[in-house]
Amino acid sequence: MKSLCCYILIALFLPLPVASCQQGYVDYSQAEQFLPASVVPTLYNMSVTPNWIEGTHYFWYLHDGRDGKNYVLVDMENATKTPAFDHRRLAEALALVSGAEVDPSDLALSNLTFRNGKILFSVLNRTWQYDLKDHFIEKVSTALSEPRFFKFRRHDEPYIVTEIRAIAAAKNGELLSPNGKLTVYVEDHNLWLKETGTGDKYRLTSDGSKDYAYAERSGTVLHPVSVARLNETTIPYAVWSPDSRKIATFRMDQRNVTPLYLLEYVPDSDSRPRPWEYRFAMPGEEHVPIYEPVIIDVLDKTVLPVSYEPQPEVSLMDTDSDVLQWWSDDGRTLYSLFAERGEKALRLLETDPQTGQTRVLLQESGPTYVEANLDYASLPNARILKNGDVVWFSEKSGYGHLYLYDSDGRQKNAITRGDWAVRTLLHVDENRSLVYFTAGGREPGRDPYFRHLYRVNLNGSELTLLTPENADHSIQMSPDGSAFVDTYSRVDLPPVSVLRGLSGNVTLTLEEGDIRNLTDMGWKPPEVFSIKALDGKTDLYGLLIKPTGFNASKKYPVVETVYPGPWTIVTSKSFPGDQSWVNKIFWRGQALSELGFVVVTIDGPGTPYRSKEFHDASYGHLGDAGGLSDHVNALEVLAKERPYMDLNRVGMFGHSAGGFMTAQALLSYPGFYKVGVASSGDYDSRFYGSFWGEKYEGLDANYTEQVTSRKAGNLTGDLLLITGDVDDNVNPCMTMQMVNAFIEADRPFDLLVMTNRNHDLSYDPYYIHRLFDYFEEHLQNNCSNGRC
């Protein structure tokens, strides 16, 4: 152990090469203004998030525009929008009550709720109630107290401030019941109940323990070291019944899972290194976490085991929300998915919450993983109808489609069909036998990743396109299915948010995106391209991102920013107006391009949202890293018609699986890819979570084909490896495996270990500066292994 510690400490201080090609300090301010944290706040009206007001035909949303924040009330029936309340009067009331300065154009209200002519909201560290008619404002506490009235005047308008007993919003770490009167939370690995009105607490379970816990996820998917270090709270892994009487959850058992370790080198400047231990299951190991389903009656405080086998941990657990279980609308039935280890078989289960008795409604298996939604770890595209029929998603035809089954699991008919893929099942109107869903790839001549909204009869007839615009459509349907909000955009088309009727007609334009600040900086949209894959028939799609000072007569080094999937794509399809995962990648690429690079994204074979065959290209072949041969071919084809692309200077960078892909690229195509920055790479899936490798490489697969370190002797370019010392998602052991292989192969490389950083380091300022430095030195200035 002592010699191992010394080895790792030595690796920590391997120096980066002297930037001999640089002349003094490099000013990155031009590039940094395009980083996501800088550019996204300058964009306005990027989306509309409707907050439906229960039992009415209204919703409200926050208009975040150049003129400030305004709350807007929309009448769907009459297709009108108005201010949700008088912002000036509310601001004055808050200022008088709190003594704080309150800007009416910057009211940051949270937990805003409309109820009986009043609004309830939180701001200034308190909860308030405001009467929209009489303009009374009331300060709310969760404790019982007698009302206390304070009267004052402002511009001859009375406000009354009262402390009252009220329903408090759910706090961090608590899961709020549908009726708002209860929350549940986890304490000491047991589930507790709290009344929101009184604050009274009750223990629901008592036999939970650290590795055999209620409503918790395992150390393999939870990232428990980060939770502990950063003092984070996690919400219970559970689902409330509609009547707020019961909770469906699991008792997670990881007692037999093998521990894994981290060493935090510098907890603070005066402390010894701190070891961390957590349980982490790897592919092929005998023991993985299992989840025993239970139903808890919060009134009787009873725990009912579900009569079915425990669920082994699979990719559907790789999300904070419990997407495996859901209740019928009347709360009389619990539905759930059961995925076998390796995810080649999926079952839909029906459970009686009174007895725990469970039966299989339908099941599906396949030669590779079976999914209920093409979006990773998302709610299944399934609906159980009142007559017992089931709407079910399947890729059995070669594309993701919807099917209708009877209550005995027999297929009645295909609801959708064709060489295109259903994305999300949004609504089933049982009275009219209509299904509403989004899909991509159906409309000829359009990007197959663009989502459109469709309507079809349950019998599969009369398929109708409801969103005709050539763009990606983000749809939010009203709870009663009477209307929907559509925000549509492309990378070259700022967002437009509209209210549509069920026939697709636009009834009201809500917002139009404002990117004036961006265009004032000289920004132009990226070039969208499609290239034939090596098979000669499949189209691959991507973006060319150019600097604002682009000059087609010059030669530019080319850098790919990559992610191989298999769970998602790397190319933005809608306008990058938020800080979602894929849009942050886009803006980081734009920032790098400002240093004089053409930055490219391509989604190759093995990524989702196309055909099953296209997605399965990576199954058992993760070492191909998203179709590297197709990436090389695409760049060569692009450069033939774009002489400004200098293919003598090609680099790549990526994080996590993108780091893996970057290392694979430099080692598999060393004559093509000259420079790479690979951060937090999962270079060997044998040491990543069992849920991942067993799904995408295979439960009984031979993992040697994807072991990056086996190719270490091929390195001829410049490669910078980066890892965080407390990465509890992709353990640093995989980076150290690469370090060891390069040392044994006597190949020069660069290493950066970022202290006190977990997996989320790829937008850290220090990371960004080293990324810029490395490509500036080794690619922009034609350096090789530190020599110009």
Side-chain angles (χ1 to χ4, degrees):
M1 180 65 189
K2 185 178 295 183
S3 60
L4 175 62
C5 183
C6 291
Y7 170 77
I8 296 175
L9 286 171
I10 290 169
L12 278 171
F13 294 100
L14 283 175
L16 290 171
V18 177
S20 55
C21 297
Q22 294 177 304
Q23 301 299 319
Y25 173 74
V26 178
D27 182 6
Y28 290 140
S29 58
Q30 169 67 19
E32 288 176 326
Q33 66 180 334
F34 286 102
L35 290 172
S38 298
V39 71
V40 170
T42 72
L43 308 175
Y44 300 111
N45 306 329
M46 291 292 103
S47 64
V48 166
T49 301
N51 296 269
W52 316 103
I53 302 175
E54 186 177 0
T56 74
H57 50 84
Y58 291 92
F59 69 85
W60 66 269
Y61 70 90
L62 176 61
H63 161 88
D64 189 6
R66 191 174 294 274
D67 54 347
K69 294 182 173 68
N70 296 286
Y71 294 82
V72 179
L73 187 66
V74 176
D75 181 340
M76 293 185 288
E77 190 171 79
N78 296 302
T80 61
K81 62 175 185 175
T82 56
F85 47 81
D86 189 320
H87 291 65
R88 177 189 63 82
R89 296 177 78 168
L90 177 55
E92 288 180 349
L94 282 170
L96 285 168
V97 172
S98 66
E101 292 186 11
V102 182
D103 183 352
S105 67
D106 191 27
L107 290 170
L109 311 181
S110 60
N111 303 318
L112 178 61
T113 305
F114 284 74
R115 186 180 302 158
N116 300 324
K118 299 178 181 180
I119 57 174
L120 186 73
F121 58 91
S122 297
V123 73
L124 301 174
N125 299 316
R126 294 301 301 266
T127 301
W128 309 84
Q129 185 170 270
Y130 181 69
D131 192 305
L132 297 174
K133 180 179 180 181
D134 298 328
H135 308 292
F136 292 168
I137 188 167
E138 303 170 329
K139 188 165 50 178
V140 174
S141 75
T142 58
L144 287 170
S145 64
E146 293 299 318
R148 293 185 293 169
F149 295 89
F150 303 86
K151 296 186 180 181
F152 50 85
R153 286 184 176 273
R154 173 79 171 180
H155 304 307
D156 297 323
E157 295 177 359
Y159 296 89
I160 299 177
V161 181
T162 309
E163 280 202 358
I164 62 173
R165 175 175 37 160
I167 299 174
K171 298 179 180 179
N172 286 338
E174 299 180 3
L175 187 65
L176 184 68
S177 65
N179 64 12
K181 297 180 180 180
L182 303 167
T183 68
V184 288
Y185 63 96
V186 174
E187 183 176 302
D188 295 329
H189 313 292
N190 283 291
L191 202 60
W192 287 71
L193 179 75
K194 186 174 82 173
E195 295 182 1
T196 57
T198 65
D200 291 345
K201 302 175 182 179
Y202 308 92
R203 185 192 292 267
L204 294 176
T205 67
S206 59
D207 56 342
S209 59
K210 179 181 178 181
D211 294 319
Y212 195 24
Y214 288 95
E216 292 183 15
R217 293 184 299 142
S218 81
T220 309
V221 292
L222 181 61
H223 313 146
V225 176
S226 295
V227 171
R229 286 182 58 250
L230 304 177
N231 197 28
E232 296 175 342
T233 55
T234 58
I235 62 172
Y237 191 65
V239 181
W240 279 98
S241 64
D243 62 1
S244 302
R245 173 70 186 260
K246 291 183 171 64
I247 294 170
T249 186
F250 296 95
R251 190 175 186 188
M252 181 275 299
D253 187 356
Q254 61 177 359
R255 290 172 294 179
N256 294 318
V257 174
T258 304
L260 191 58
Y261 304 94
L262 289 168
L263 184 61
E264 186 177 9
Y265 292 100
V266 192
D268 57 62
S269 58
D270 299 318
S271 298
R272 295 164 62 92
R274 180 177 182 179
W276 291 92
E277 176 184 316
Y278 58 108
R279 294 189 182 272
F280 195 90
M282 297 178 181
E285 293 183 337
E286 179 181 359
H287 298 292
V288 300
I290 59 173
Y291 292 72
E292 301 169 0
V294 297
I295 298 171
I296 300 175
D297 189 311
V298 300
L299 297 186
D300 294 342
K301 301 179 181 59
T302 56
V303 179
L304 176 68
V306 171
S307 298
Y308 206 74
E309 61 184 290
Q311 168 69 61
E313 188 165 81
V314 294
S315 67
L316 290 162
M317 272 86 170
D318 192 22
T319 180
D320 292 338
S321 300
D322 181 358
V323 301
L324 285 168
Q325 301 173 304
W326 67 99
W327 294 85
S328 62
D329 291 341
D330 59 13
R332 295 180 179 178
T333 306
L334 175 67
Y335 299 106
S336 60
L337 293 182
F338 180 92
E340 292 184 2
R341 189 173 172 181
E343 302 189 45
K344 288 186 177 182
L346 193 63
R347 307 170 205 161
L348 176 63
L349 308 180
E350 178 187 74
T351 298
D352 182 343
Q354 302 300 321
T355 65
Q357 293 300 308
T358 299
R359 75 180 185 103
V360 177
L361 286 179
L362 59 89
Q363 54 189 328
E364 183 176 345
S365 61
T368 66
Y369 47 86
V370 176
E371 297 186 298
N373 192 321
L374 295 183
D375 287 313
Y376 180 80
S378 294
L379 288 167
N381 286 323
R383 295 290 188 279
I384 292 83
L385 308 184
K386 294 176 181 176
N387 65 359
D389 285 355
V390 178
V391 177
W392 179 253
F393 173 92
S394 172
E395 293 183 277
K396 61 185 179 181
S397 71
Y399 287 84
H401 282 294
L402 300 175
Y403 297 84
L404 186 65
Y405 288 79
D406 66 20
S407 58
D408 292 322
R410 293 185 293 262
Q411 182 180 319
K412 299 176 73 171
N413 59 264
I415 301 173
T416 62
R417 57 178 63 84
D419 293 346
W420 46 276
V422 169
R423 295 289 294 274
T424 304
L425 173 60
L426 291 172
H427 179 69
V428 178
D429 184 339
E430 298 188 51
N431 293 327
R432 301 172 61 198
S433 297
L434 295 174
V435 181
Y436 295 85
F437 63 94
T438 59
R442 181 178 181 269
E443 306 309 311
R446 298 187 181 183
D447 189 322
Y449 297 93
F450 285 171
R451 296 167 295 174
H452 289 277
L453 179 67
Y454 297 88
R455 182 186 65 218
V456 67
N457 290 325
L458 270 173
N459 63 11
S461 64
E462 298 184 31
L463 177 65
T464 304
L465 172 66
L466 300 180
T467 52
E469 296 85 358
N470 182 16
D472 182 64
H473 294 258
S474 176
I475 306 296
Q476 299 174 84
M477 204 133 191
S478 64
D480 63 358
S482 63
F484 57 93
V485 172
D486 173 18
T487 297
Y488 63 89
S489 68
R490 300 188 304 265
V491 290
D492 59 352
L493 174 69
V496 178
S497 296
V498 298
L499 179 68
R500 294 183 187 267
L502 291 183
S503 62
N505 57 306
V506 175
T507 60
L508 181 65
T509 299
L510 299 171
E511 301 291 344
E512 296 183 355
D514 177 356
I515 64 167
R516 191 175 75 205
N517 293 335
L518 191 58
T519 56
D520 286 349
M521 292 193 296
W523 181 81
K524 293 181 176 60
E527 178 185 345
V528 181
F529 67 83
S530 64
I531 294 288
K532 287 295 181 187
L534 287 170
D535 65 7
K537 59 181 181 179
T538 305
D539 289 320
L540 305 180
Y541 294 80
L543 298 176
L544 282 171
I545 304 171
K546 303 168 188 175
T548 52
F550 176 75
N551 184 339
S553 66
K554 294 183 177 181
K555 282 280 191 178
Y556 291 88
V558 177
V559 178
E560 276 198 78
T561 178
V562 298
Y563 195 87
W567 70 277
T568 192
I569 60 175
V570 75
T571 302
S572 293
K573 295 301 175 180
S574 57
F575 192 85
D578 60 25
Q579 294 201 53
S580 62
W581 185 85
V582 70
N583 289 341
K584 288 173 70 176
I585 290 175
F586 172 86
W587 288 119
R588 187 177 56 192
Q590 181 69 60
L592 179 63
S593 77
E594 294 301 307
L595 302 180
F597 300 95
V598 169
V599 177
V600 183
T601 69
I602 305 170
D603 290 304
T607 53
Y609 311 134
R610 305 282 293 275
S611 68
K612 178 64 171 168
E613 180 183 13
F614 189 85
H615 200 184
D616 276 351
S618 59
Y619 185 79
H621 303 286
L622 291 179
D624 191 34
L628 278 172
S629 57
D630 272 303
H631 282 252
V632 173
N633 177 69
L635 293 182
E636 290 176 338
V637 172
L638 288 168
K640 286 180 181 178
E641 298 180 356
R642 297 163 182 83
Y644 56 81
M645 295 176 64
D646 184 356
L647 293 195
N648 290 317
R649 293 182 291 164
V650 180
M652 180 183 286
F653 76 99
H655 182 71
S656 195
F660 160 75
M661 182 173 179
T662 298
Q664 285 280 357
L666 266 73
L667 301 179
S668 300
Y669 296 90
F672 188 80
Y673 293 103
K674 307 295 176 52
V675 181
V677 177
S679 55
S680 305
D682 50 342
Y683 306 109
D684 187 345
S685 288
R686 293 177 301 172
F687 301 109
Y688 192 54
S690 58
F691 67 91
W692 179 271
E694 292 179 358
K695 176 178 181 178
Y696 291 124
E697 185 75 6
L699 180 59
D700 302 313
N702 181 357
Y703 280 73
T704 56
E705 65 85 23
Q706 55 81 53
V707 180
T708 315
S709 62
R710 292 166 60 91
K711 303 176 183 178
N714 295 346
L715 182 63
T716 60
D718 296 285
L719 177 61
L720 170 60
L721 302 175
I722 302 176
T723 187
D725 67 341
V726 283
D727 187 342
D728 51 353
N729 181 355
V730 175
N731 191 280
C733 72
M734 282 182 267
T735 296
M736 293 306 167
Q737 182 191 64
M738 295 296 296
V739 167
N740 185 64
F742 287 135
I743 291 173
E744 290 187 349
D746 195 22
R747 304 308 303 158
F749 68 100
D750 296 302
L751 174 68
L752 169 62
V753 177
M754 295 181 65
T755 54
N756 301 310
R757 304 302 199 278
N758 60 12
H759 197 62
D760 303 323
L761 56 76
S762 62
Y763 296 93
D764 186 290
Y766 191 80
Y767 166 91
I768 293 293
H769 292 158
R770 301 296 76 77
L771 174 76
F772 290 172
D773 286 347
Y774 208 75
F775 283 116
E776 274 278 288
E777 177 183 350
H778 295 290
L779 200 62
Q780 185 66 267
N781 295 303
N782 255 335
C783 294
S784 176
N785 289 324
R787 298 181 298 275
C788 298

